[in-house]
Amino acid sequence: MALPRDGWQASASASSSDDPPSKAIDDDANTRWSLGHGMQPGDWFQVDLGSTQTFDQLVLDTSASSGDFVRQYEVYASDDDTSWGKPIATGPGSTVSRILLPTTTARYIRVVNKASSGSWWSIHDVSVFASDGKSTSSPGTSAGIQRKNATLPDGTKLQVTYNSGSGAATFDVPWGGTTYSYRLPGGAAAIITTHGA
């Protein structure tokens, strides 16, 4: 479920004078925030949710400016806009970046660009999705293991497994007639990708 945007505020490391950060959270896919210069590592876009929220997915939609997506990102979360800690997600961007996160409770979300491009980074729409609060637990799965599934537009299926505990944990992955057991360090995530036929 998408979090309501009431009380949200957006900010960025830089902006075009015509495309301020607020245009990425105005529920209008025709408006956008844009960086105002070619992408450089360290550029960032941030959303203040207005209060502490629990969430597990972030979507950055750049469909109306399809070449202007962030090339490589890190996502951070904070309660106070000062202490950010380690990234909670990293990956390559796309026209619609659906970023699966470990279930996180925070007020601020910051996306940091990690790559250079001549294109201006733009975001037409930002959505944050609430966690259902459920952790998947099944035989062969240690406590602290959380799983989320997603299907990309090209049919690729993703299973993201996150170890929210401090110690190593194991989880099973059935594959054909065999079940494989994986060991995941505390605070680490594994992504298993399955491509359609």
Side-chain angles (χ1 to χ4, degrees), residues 169-190:
T170 59
F171 66 99
D172 290 346
V173 177
W175 188 262
T178 306
T179 298
Y180 297 91
S181 184
Y182 291 88
R183 185 175 174 85
L184 198 58

Side-chain angles (χ1 to χ4, degrees), residues 12-30:
S13 55
S15 301
S16 161
S17 59
D18 295 328
D19 304 316
S22 59
K23 290 191 175 181
I25 58 171
D26 63 1
D27 271 328
D28 184 347
N30 295 312

Side-chain angles (χ1 to χ4, degrees), residues 47-65:
V47 176
D48 173 357
L49 301 174
S51 62
T52 300
Q53 303 283 340
T54 300
F55 50 88
D56 62 7
Q57 187 177 169
L58 172 67
V59 178
L60 309 176
D61 190 342
T62 313
S63 297
S65 303

